[in-house]
Amino acid sequence: MNQELNRAWRRPACPLPSRRLPAPHMAAPVLSYENLGLVQGSGWLFRELDIHIGARDRLALIGRNGAGKTTLLKLLAGTIDPDEGRRTIVPGTRVILLEQEPAMKGVATLADYVLGGDDAPERHEADAIADQLGIDLSRDAGSASGGERRRAAIVRALAQDPDVLLLDEPTNHLDIAAIDWLEEWLARFKGAFVAISHDRTFLTRLTRQTLWLDRGTIRRAEIGFGGFEAWTEQVYAEEARNAQRLDAKLKIEEHWLHRGVTGRRRRNQGRLAQLKEMRAERAAMMGPQGAANLVTAADDTKSKIVIDVKKVSKAYDDRTIIRDLTLRVTRGDRIGIVGANGAGKTTLLKLLTGEIDPDSGEIVRAKTLDGIVIDQQRSLMAPEKSVRDVLADGGDWIEVLGVKKHIHGYLKEFLFDPSLAEAKIATLSGGERSRLLLAREFARESNLLVLDEPTNDLDLETLDLLQEVIADYAGTVLIVSHDRDFLDRTVTVTLGLDGSGSVDVVAGGYEDWERKRKPRNEPRKATAKSMAPARPPAQAKTKLSYKDQRDFELLPKRIDELDAAILRDTDALADPDLYTRDPSRFAALTAAIDKARSDKDDAEMRWLDLAEQVEALG
């Protein structure tokens, strides 16, 4: 029964077809580039790109670090010129670029930055958005934190009343409350946006189309980021089939050949299954409020404890940061720490690692605890050093957990071209520096790993790699992060801070904490069962009704039939000439796919309800 449950629940949605050119049915674009090409170094970064942005598009721009995503946004914004290609924009369209690193040199305060220049927004608009985002624009720009500078840049961009927003890592340095606010603003936004982001949750919630910048070409799919992984698997599978038919070598990066798309998906599923088992085991060790249960003589939990926290409190300037926290961190735990900026995440991390002492209570750490810290300042990366210097102290070999590896081979494991061994740190992108630091630190032997905002500047592929490394790490991991999807994929226990001093200790990831913090009372989709009139209490059921039993047996087949129908109609819709040749059939297929997906959702929800009843009945 559990296999049936997993099969129905995990069945991926079938993505819509990809488009390299705008489909004929799309609304006229407000911003376009045709035949776009740009030279970088000794060759073309990309060439012959056609990009069209409609007035209400919500586009995710996806690609590896170094593929040229940020450069492409600057080209679309018109801040740099291409080597070839023609940019077309509807007159009066205001295109605003939110840069990853806003330039604030020469300004005294954040307000000077926000309200400076010929295209400055209205003061009242900027003040209104700043108030909602919780940023004081009178703050000195030179001493402002990364989060404050990011908020100021968002205020300036949104207050300019854009028609097209180009967003380069908009959630970097933002806390969860600010990310939620930005998501709500963009959901109501009447214009178009293109977003580069490593935040899977952000992209999944907001985007409806995807641009994939891959090996110097660009592909477009009329699906949001939620369908990106399934779509790329289809693309790579088709390339492999074409390569076999033509008896030619598949032109694809070495790491894809090494890892394999199918193998990566299976490993992801295996890791998630293992993570669920670890969370269930951890939940069994916790009391109802998250505090650890008392250790009995019969179990071995005590021997596994690496950090034991008993009724710990910490305050600064009469403000209580942590109050009466009791927690046991055991060997192999992956602990996620979440909360708004200023809620006390860093304080809690320092308490757990022994960098500061509590005001009251007791923290006992295992004597053998040996930790490494990867902080968000990346303080170990000196710009004048080479990759070889940082990784292997100038040599050719690096010792990785007691095993010697050649630096070139180890660079490949972390998705680097081995030729980068001689490159200076100053020439690397932010994402490459972060990846190199991970490669250096994961080579060291340790049993405690502390990651402070590890996902900043990492592309999605490197995030997958980081998840694999954390899953395989033999010790305990402490993670401070605002990346909700990353936490859901990696941690076994979440410590949630709300700023009042209390700490929620929840077995699971961010979503588990969110459910506890804000109980959702959203009404479920109405079904025949929920719409039926209330009945008086009856004896407990001992078996399913005839209709329920029939549905339980037949719905899996119905779900498979709907999947097949979605796949069939989607394949038909992939014909790029279909709309111009037969617009009525195009409309009918689109409507059929929407209805089949809705029917499938209803069928899966009904079957899951019945499966729960079957489990309850034994």
Side-chain angles (χ1 to χ4, degrees), residues 369-383:
L369 206 57
D370 179 22
I372 56 176
V373 179
I374 302 178
D375 68 5
Q376 55 185 323
Q377 280 74 40
R378 314 304 196 242
S379 55
L380 299 175
M381 310 295 283

Side-chain angles (χ1 to χ4, degrees), residues 26-72:
M26 288 174 58
V30 295
L31 176 62
S32 297
Y33 243 122
E34 295 178 356
N35 226 19
L36 174 62
L38 185 74
V39 173
Q40 188 173 82
S42 59
W44 292 92
L45 178 61
F46 38 66
R47 199 174 190 187
E48 298 181 349
L49 303 189
D50 290 333
I51 303 170
H52 304 268
I53 300 174
R56 294 298 305 275
D57 280 358
R58 274 92 169 88
L59 285 152
L61 177 55
I62 307 301
R64 293 183 60 195
N65 282 344
K69 301 187 298 297
T70 294
T71 302
L72 184 56

Side-chain angles (χ1 to χ4, degrees), residues 52 202 332 356 478 586 617:
H52 304 268
F202 177 86
I356 61 175
L478 304 177
F586 182 93
L617 293 171

Side-chain angles (χ1 to χ4, degrees), residues 336-498:
I337 303 176
V338 298
N341 287 343
K345 300 187 299 297
T346 300
T347 298
L348 177 55
L349 191 65
K350 290 179 177 179
L351 285 168
L352 293 176
T353 56
E355 188 173 339
I356 61 175
D357 295 322
D359 295 334
S360 62
E362 180 186 19
I363 302 178
V364 178
R365 300 171 195 85
K367 294 180 180 178
T368 57
L369 206 57
D370 179 22
I372 56 176
V373 179
I374 302 178
D375 68 5
Q376 55 185 323
Q377 280 74 40
R378 314 304 196 242
S379 55
L380 299 175
M381 310 295 283
E384 69 279 3
K385 288 187 175 181
S386 70
V387 170
R388 184 186 299 276
D389 292 334
V390 169
L391 208 55
D393 294 325
D396 290 327
W397 298 87
I398 180 173
E399 191 166 300
V400 181
L401 302 179
V403 178
K404 278 196 171 184
K405 293 188 177 184
H406 195 277
I407 183 176
H408 287 174
Y410 192 58
L411 282 171
K412 286 182 182 179
E413 291 182 23
F414 279 81
L415 311 181
F416 283 106
D417 186 325
S419 64
L420 278 177
E422 307 307 326
K424 297 295 184 184
I425 300 303
T427 67
L428 302 181
S429 69
E432 288 170 330
R433 293 184 196 189
S434 298
R435 203 187 323 153
L436 180 62
L437 182 59
L438 293 173
R440 167 185 163 139
E441 295 305 300
F442 277 118
R444 295 173 51 191
E445 290 198 47
S446 66
N447 52 29
L448 176 66
L449 180 64
V450 181
L451 301 169
D452 191 356
E453 291 294 350
T455 65
N456 279 351
D457 300 322
L458 298 185
D459 59 14
L460 296 172
E461 194 172 63
T462 306
L463 283 177
D464 283 341
L465 173 65
L466 180 56
Q467 289 164 23
E468 289 183 15
V469 174
I470 290 174
D472 294 337
Y473 184 68
T476 302
V477 185
L478 304 177
I479 304 172
V480 174
S481 180
H482 297 127
D483 191 322
R484 297 155 292 182
D485 181 83
F486 180 78
L487 291 170
D488 282 335
R489 291 170 182 255
T490 53
V491 304
T492 57
V493 176
T494 297
L495 308 181
L497 292 82
D498 61 8

